[in-house]
Amino acid sequence: MLLLVVFVLTACAYVFGRTRAATLRKNGESLHSLPRYYGYLTAIYTAVPALFILAFWSAAEPTYLKHSTTNTLPAEIRALPEGELNLVINDIKNIATGGITQNTDDAVRESSAQHYADRKNTSQLLKSIFVVLASLLGALYGLSKISVHTRARIFVERTIMTVLIACSCIAIFTTVGIVLSVLFESLRFFNKVPFTEFAFGLHWSPQTSIRADQVGSSGSFGAVPIFAGTLLISAIAMLVAVPFGLMSAIYLAEYASSNVRAWAKPLLEILAGIPTVVYGFFAALTIAPMLRNVGESVGLSVASESALAAGLVMGIMIIPFVSSLSDDVITAVPQAMRDGSLGLGATKSETIKRVVIPAALPGIVGAILLAVSRAIGETMIVVMAAGLTANLTINPLEAVTTVTVQIVTLLTGDQAFDSPKTLAAFALGLMLFITTLILNVIALRVVRKYREQYE
Amino acid sequence: MNEEVTPLPSLEQDQTSEQTIEEIVASLGETVGEPRVDDPKMSVSNVNVFYAEKQAIFGVDLDIANNEVISMIGPSGCGKSTLLRCLNRMNDTIPICKVTGELMLDGEDIYGKDTDPVLLRARVGMVFQKPNPFPKSIYENVAYGPRLHGLNRNKADLDDIVVNSLKKAGIYNEVKNRLDESGTSLSGGQQQRLCIARTIACSPEVILMDEPCSALDPIATAKIEELIDELRENYAIAIVTHSMQQAARVSQRTAYFHLGKLVEVGDTDTIFTNPSHELTENYITGRFG
């Protein structure tokens, strides 16, 4: 409601500002900018301070109300521990807003609720007054600024830039926040389990006893088997994705006629649009049994949840990723390179092999590294198809587990958020994050370093 | 300008006037001058080129002789580059391009069924408008062609070919100490001479040059022109150029194209001092183009 008022005021300010600037202009004043910029200027002065006040007030209000209400409570309630006190306050809030509570007949709470409601009303009223006042004052100030000396266009441009910077900062701060939260939880984990055990231990069995008298494993947190599983599955996936993706990219970029390209490329990209869950049950229900049957017929024992099945399907999922990026890179190789090679009497495939691919190689390597980090971070397929057993093996026919699968299993269901078991998930997440980060950095470096070679 | 001259057909005109391009071309008349030479290296007879429906070259006859530079001049879009690219079938890479007529190399039809365009391009080398060295070392750039065609028996052979080609292209002294540096690290003029060395390394018989100096500064241009004059001793050379001074400096014969038609061809001296066709005269005196 208040927001709406501010918006209306802002709109009015814009119209007033523009009209006023236009009038000045008509009277022969040589204004710095076009009238509409003076309109924007007035609008900015109207909206920004008012919105800031609104935001701060709304943020501070609950704290103030809580504090003020707590002071009206008798000392013995105030002396209660933090958690119980919060419950009381919640009760009071509920009474004040007419909600259902258990202790409606409690006189103390009733009076506090009355107090709370009063304060809240006052606060709301003051907030409205201040916001509207700020916006009006801003409008007046803005209008008074409309003169020959104000360079409105520059002011507006700066404001737009500030807004854009603020928006990009949100993404950055979120990333920083995620990193920090994962980092601190991981540090808590490493307080309980030594880093050396985590990084070099060969046994992963994160079950810990919840009660002291419980019989159960004390938990061991050697992350090597699950990282090995991740690597195994990623390697299988890349073995599938790189040749197929690259070759289809070469076909699309060099051989396909524009007609074929027009439908083949979107078709390939549809592969990328299939949800990973769908790939997951395709792997678990179709590929894995098929592999087991084939394995039985040639006398191999294939686990029903094998690394091979998960890796194959993950590879298929990544094909469009590799092919689309490589296709872009190959197409970006200048035609002059191809002409030069063909003009020397090279065949088409010789040209591709000796000139186009080498010229596009940095980009292709970048594409592959990005695909690897995608494979390492992939979760759904491996959850459904790769199994949970932390085997330390390089046999693709056995079941293995991956980092992402372990994170999912550690954090799903009811968990205590301070046991090593759950904290281990954060440590795994941190390691995974670092791994993909390093890969991405290398990929970007490689791409950047060689990008200008043929320009 | 002479008031009585009838308006010349030009590219601007054919969009506004009622005449179709075919009619304008017909009005240009027969080619002036002698397109044939004794013992031609390459011979073009009644060649038409189409890009999809649009005709770009109209019934051109032209010979390219050994030990001679022939320059092709004319306003933009007159089809000179198109004709050049027909001579080593580079137009094959453009799917909509269609060529009719007869193009002979040493009496063999280069568009014939038995001709392999890949082998043809080794015999008829091409230097492009923009220097386009491969992003490989200088050595690898020159060794590229010989390696493809198996011209060398061993590494020493290849070294010889590379050094000789670089020498012939007049760039050896500038790059002899850095053969393993990237070809793209050279200056524009050096890159273009590297491209010429690369072409020579395939031991071609004909060299086609498509505006080889248009991306270069005057000093680099002078070096390339000097080089073209030297290369004439061993190769038949056809060069497309926008610079009439360049045509006058490097070529023995000149062919003037207009709207896809060969208007006039003859000795360079004659063309530049005493052109017979009105369009040629207007072009070389700078009235249009």
Side-chain angles (χ1 to χ4, degrees), chain A residues 118-140:
Chain A
D118 280 351
R119 283 298 167 93
K120 185 158 182 168
N121 282 338
T122 325
S123 158
Q124 295 275 353
L125 185 68
L126 280 176
K127 181 165 82 173
S128 309
I129 291 172
F130 271 113
V131 168
V132 173
L133 204 63
S135 120
L136 284 175
L137 281 176
L140 284 179

Side-chain angles (χ1 to χ4, degrees), chain B residues 191-244:
Chain B
Q191 287 188 11
Q192 192 64 300
R193 278 181 283 151
L194 176 62
C195 291
I196 293 176
R198 189 173 75 179
T199 308
I200 295 172
C202 297
S203 37
E205 297 154 37
V206 182
I207 300 177
L208 309 174
M209 298 188 175
D210 190 357
E211 297 177 37
C213 303
S214 65
L216 305 181
D217 67 76
I219 294 168
T221 302
K223 280 193 178 154
I224 303 258
E225 286 178 2
E226 210 176 298
L227 174 62
I228 292 172
D229 206 46
E230 286 166 15
L231 292 175
R232 181 163 64 90
E233 287 178 25
N234 300 310
Y235 308 95
I237 297 175
I239 175 171
V240 163
T241 178
H242 273 295
S243 154
M244 280 169 281

Side-chain angles (χ1 to χ4, degrees), chain A residues 209-279:
Chain A
S209 47
I210 293 169
R211 297 188 312 273
D213 57 336
Q214 211 170 22
V215 187
S217 58
S218 59
S220 57
F221 295 94
V224 173
I226 55 177
F227 272 95
T230 296
L231 286 182
L232 178 64
I233 288 182
S234 302
I236 296 172
M238 296 321 288
L239 279 180
V240 175
V242 171
F244 285 98
L246 201 54
M247 284 184 215
S248 65
I250 292 172
Y251 171 73
L252 280 180
E254 297 288 333
Y255 288 95
S257 70
S258 52
N259 278 338
V260 176
R261 206 180 141 86
W263 62 258
K265 206 175 175 196
L267 208 63
L268 205 61
E269 274 160 9
I270 287 177
L271 266 183
I274 298 176
T276 50
V277 173
V278 178
Y279 279 111

Side-chain angles (χ1 to χ4, degrees), chain B:
Chain B
M1 197 170 168
N2 193 338
E3 298 288 310
E4 281 155 346
V5 171
T6 49
L8 289 164
S10 71
L11 280 177
E12 288 75 33
Q13 231 174 4
D14 78 307
Q15 285 158 355
T16 51
S17 74
E18 312 252 312
Q19 278 182 306
T20 63
I21 190 160
E22 281 81 7
E23 283 163 349
I24 301 170
V25 168
S27 74
L28 292 175
E30 290 296 303
T31 301
V32 180
E34 181 48 61
R36 298 295 172 201
V37 297
D38 301 333
D39 186 25
K41 182 72 191 171
M42 295 190 86
S43 178
V44 174
S45 308
N46 193 24
V47 162
N48 297 293
V49 180
F50 301 84
Y51 288 115
E53 297 303 307
K54 194 173 166 291
Q55 188 165 4
I57 303 251
F58 296 85
V60 167
D61 294 326
L62 191 64
D63 279 356
I64 295 166
N66 277 314
N67 309 100
E68 188 184 82
V69 178
I70 180 166
S71 59
M72 304 179 179
I73 59 171
S76 297
C78 70
K80 50 195 189 312
S81 291
T82 302
L83 183 66
L84 197 74
R85 288 171 65 93
C86 289
L87 294 174
N88 70 345
R89 294 186 61 174
M90 279 303 282
N91 278 342
D92 288 15
T93 57
I94 303 165
I96 56 167
C97 181
K98 202 176 116 230
V99 181
T100 67
E102 203 171 50
L103 291 100
M104 305 292 233
L105 173 64
D106 285 339
E108 282 171 52
D109 186 0
I110 62 173
Y111 279 81
K113 280 196 187 110
D114 301 335
T115 310
D116 182 353
V118 168
L119 294 178
L120 171 75
R121 290 185 197 129
R123 291 176 67 192
V124 184
M126 190 161 200
V127 177
F128 296 86
Q129 181 171 0
K130 224 180 127 206
N132 58 349
F134 304 129
K136 301 169 181 281
S137 73
I138 292 170
Y139 184 92
E140 287 298 322
N141 261 285
V142 183
Y144 186 81
R147 281 212 173 119
L148 282 179
H149 305 297
L151 297 180
N152 59 310
R153 265 161 307 162
N154 51 41
K155 180 81 172 71
D157 267 7
L158 192 61
D159 289 348
D160 281 350
I161 295 176
V162 169
V163 170
N164 282 331
S165 307
L166 287 169
K167 276 182 181 158
K168 278 191 202 160
I171 193 181
Y172 183 65
N173 284 332
E174 290 159 63
V175 299
K176 64 182 171 196
N177 294 325
R178 43 176 180 148
L179 289 177
D180 53 351
E181 277 178 35
S182 171
T184 48
S185 67
L186 298 171
S187 74
Q190 288 173 327
Q191 287 188 11
Q192 192 64 300
R193 278 181 283 151
L194 176 62
C195 291
I196 293 176
R198 189 173 75 179
T199 308
I200 295 172
C202 297
S203 37
E205 297 154 37
V206 182
I207 300 177
L208 309 174
M209 298 188 175
D210 190 357
E211 297 177 37
C213 303
S214 65
L216 305 181
D217 67 76
I219 294 168
T221 302
K223 280 193 178 154
I224 303 258
E225 286 178 2
E226 210 176 298
L227 174 62
I228 292 172
D229 206 46
E230 286 166 15
L231 292 175
R232 181 163 64 90
E233 287 178 25
N234 300 310
Y235 308 95
I237 297 175
I239 175 171
V240 163
T241 178
H242 273 295
S243 154
M244 280 169 281
Q245 291 85 346
Q246 184 169 64
R249 281 192 299 260
V250 301
S251 69
Q252 285 70 52
R253 284 165 74 231
T254 297
Y256 174 69
F257 288 80
H258 193 97
L259 286 176
K261 180 95 181 169
L262 177 57
V263 173
E264 183 167 358
V265 59
D267 286 344
T268 299
D269 290 344
T270 322
I271 295 270
F272 280 96
T273 53
N274 189 19
S276 311
H277 199 287
E278 193 187 316
L279 282 169
T280 319
E281 185 179 355
N282 285 342
Y283 182 71
I284 61 174
T285 51
R287 294 211 187 124
F288 69 88

Side-chain angles (χ1 to χ4, degrees), chain A residues 100-282:
Chain A
I100 303 153
T101 54
Q102 304 120 329
N103 306 312
T104 36
D105 52 347
D106 190 325
V108 177
R109 292 179 190 204
E110 280 288 356
S111 75
S112 288
Q114 190 59 45
H115 173 84
Y116 178 87
D118 280 351
R119 283 298 167 93
K120 185 158 182 168
N121 282 338
T122 325
S123 158
Q124 295 275 353
L125 185 68
L126 280 176
K127 181 165 82 173
S128 309
I129 291 172
F130 271 113
V131 168
V132 173
L133 204 63
S135 120
L136 284 175
L137 281 176
L140 284 179
Y141 181 71
L143 282 172
S144 76
K145 289 276 277 184
I146 298 176
S147 72
V148 189
H149 305 293
T150 312
R151 302 196 285 178
R153 180 165 43 78
I154 291 168
F155 177 81
V156 172
E157 291 294 322
R158 282 222 186 102
T159 314
I160 289 173
M161 194 186 76
T162 317
V163 171
L164 295 180
I165 289 176
C167 288
S168 41
C169 283
I170 287 177
I172 294 169
F173 285 142
T174 315
T175 316
V176 171
I178 291 174
V179 173
L180 287 181
S181 80
V182 172
L183 189 68
F184 284 128
E185 297 295 332
S186 307
L187 287 179
R188 278 174 68 190
F189 170 74
F190 289 128
N191 279 339
K192 302 188 183 195
V193 178
F195 179 75
T196 43
E197 188 199 324
F198 178 75
F200 303 109
L202 297 182
H203 189 64
W204 177 265
S205 155
Q207 301 311 320
T208 46
S209 47
I210 293 169
R211 297 188 312 273
D213 57 336
Q214 211 170 22
V215 187
S217 58
S218 59
S220 57
F221 295 94
V224 173
I226 55 177
F227 272 95
T230 296
L231 286 182
L232 178 64
I233 288 182
S234 302
I236 296 172
M238 296 321 288
L239 279 180
V240 175
V242 171
F244 285 98
L246 201 54
M247 284 184 215
S248 65
I250 292 172
Y251 171 73
L252 280 180
E254 297 288 333
Y255 288 95
S257 70
S258 52
N259 278 338
V260 176
R261 206 180 141 86
W263 62 258
K265 206 175 175 196
L267 208 63
L268 205 61
E269 274 160 9
I270 287 177
L271 266 183
I274 298 176
T276 50
V277 173
V278 178
Y279 279 111
F281 61 69
F282 176 64

